[in-house]
Amino acid sequence: MLHWPFVVRLVIAVDGPSGAGEATAARAVARSLGYRHGDTGARYRAVGWRARQLGIALDDEAAVTAVAEAARFDLDDGAIRIDGHDVTSAIRTPEMDKAATLVARNAAVRTVLVARQRALGAEGGVVMEGRDIGTVVFPQAALKIYLDASPEERARRRAADPAHTSGRIAAVAEVAVDLAARDKADSTRSVAPLMKADDAVYIDTTGIPIDDVVGRVLALARERAGARGSGPGSRD
Ligand code: DC
């Protein structure tokens, strides 16, 4: 028997282009609700890292797919390991940005990783972020958010993020060029291109403090859980 207050564990999908704030927002929302945070981009990155470590060319689609199939991922509070290797910082370099974009174009790799992502969210209670979460991975998600920001702001954020610049401050103009190239590759590829789901809530985060973005997503989560006769859960 279910006792009041019955808590619905929602699936919350967060998508958007690089640097729109998905990772930071998804992590904060997950923490606040006591949900798991699913960073799907980290898995595409880790597969790219592992393939290169094994000397596999990233355009060898079958070999890279075999890497994804065999991969053992451990994700814990922002840290990621693949097959026992801690790649938390190694996957956030400009080189790995490009490698991940190539891996993400591989339809067979996507099939493998999407199945794992679905398993992760099967019981709800997850905030999953990426490019295709609301469109492909969880088209039935209770709440879909599409975060965006101006290209200039996204480049500024990425350039100032030590996780993406190996601790040094990168030149914004340089980052902007790479970002534009990746956005184009991610949104024009034939399989699961980046796009807003019709029923996603669009939030332009340009000039908006991350706490406000998180507050807005939490309010929406409460609303959606309320529509299901409950609360979304909370650690508060
Ligand atoms: O979010 P990120 O920068 O870590 O993503 C790395 C690459 O993987 C980027 O090119 C987008 C791609 N990606 C994707 O195609 N689908 C996802 N669900 C997540 C990331």
Side-chain angles (χ1 to χ4, degrees), residues 15-16 18 22 39-42 44-45 92 96-97 100-102 104-105 110 117 129-133 137 158 164 182 186 189 192:
D15 291 299
S18 312
E22 302 92 287
D39 178 351
T40 61
Y44 288 98
R45 289 171 179 274
R92 307 276 173 203
M96 291 313 304
D97 285 347
T101 301
L102 280 176
R105 269 174 34 187
R110 297 199 75 89
Q117 290 156 19
E129 40 119 349
R131 304 292 186 284
D132 61 340
I133 312 305
V137 183
R158 270 290 150 102
H164 276 273
R182 283 203 295 139
D186 288 338
R189 69 179 174 225

Side-chain angles (χ1 to χ4, degrees), residues 3-168:
H3 296 279
W4 185 259
F6 170 53
V7 173
V8 184
R9 311 274 296 165
L10 305 175
V11 170
I12 301 178
V14 181
D15 291 299
S18 312
E22 302 92 287
T24 316
R27 189 170 299 120
V29 169
R31 190 169 300 135
S32 180
L33 295 175
Y35 284 13
R36 277 162 303 143
H37 165 222
D39 178 351
T40 61
R43 290 170 170 84
Y44 288 98
R45 289 171 179 274
V47 168
W49 181 91
R50 182 73 169 134
R52 295 196 49 175
Q53 192 219 18
L54 293 168
I56 293 166
L58 295 178
D59 58 1
D60 183 341
E61 299 203 351
V64 177
T65 304
V67 170
E69 268 165 352
R72 208 166 18 85
F73 297 106
D74 297 302
L75 279 90
D76 185 27
D77 205 21
I80 174 163
R81 297 168 76 83
I82 181 165
D83 298 333
H85 303 274
D86 185 339
V87 293
T88 312
S89 34
I91 59 168
R92 307 276 173 203
T93 63
E95 201 187 348
M96 291 313 304
D97 285 347
K98 294 192 183 78
T101 301
L102 280 176
V103 170
R105 269 174 34 187
N106 181 326
V109 166
R110 297 199 75 89
T111 302
V112 171
L113 294 189
V114 165
R116 289 176 174 225
Q117 290 156 19
R118 286 188 180 141
L120 203 72
E123 289 174 10
V126 68
V127 186
M128 196 167 284
E129 40 119 349
R131 304 292 186 284
D132 61 340
I133 312 305
T135 51
V136 174
V137 183
F138 290 116
Q140 310 300 334
L143 174 60
K144 300 180 188 178
I145 304 290
Y146 188 93
L147 294 185
D148 205 355
S150 71
E152 298 76 23
E153 172 128 353
R154 293 191 291 111
R156 261 198 308 276
R157 286 180 191 162
R158 270 290 150 102
D161 180 357
H164 276 273
T165 55
S166 318
R168 71 185 174 91

Side-chain angles (χ1 to χ4, degrees), residues 176-210:
V177 171
D178 283 355
L179 211 68
R182 283 203 295 139
D183 283 353
K184 184 157 183 246
D186 288 338
S187 47
T188 58
R189 69 179 174 225
S190 56
V191 50
L194 166 67
M195 63 178 162
K196 179 187 160 302
D198 288 342
D199 52 351
V201 177
Y202 181 92
I203 303 179
D204 184 345
T205 69
T206 310
I208 300 183
I210 190 69

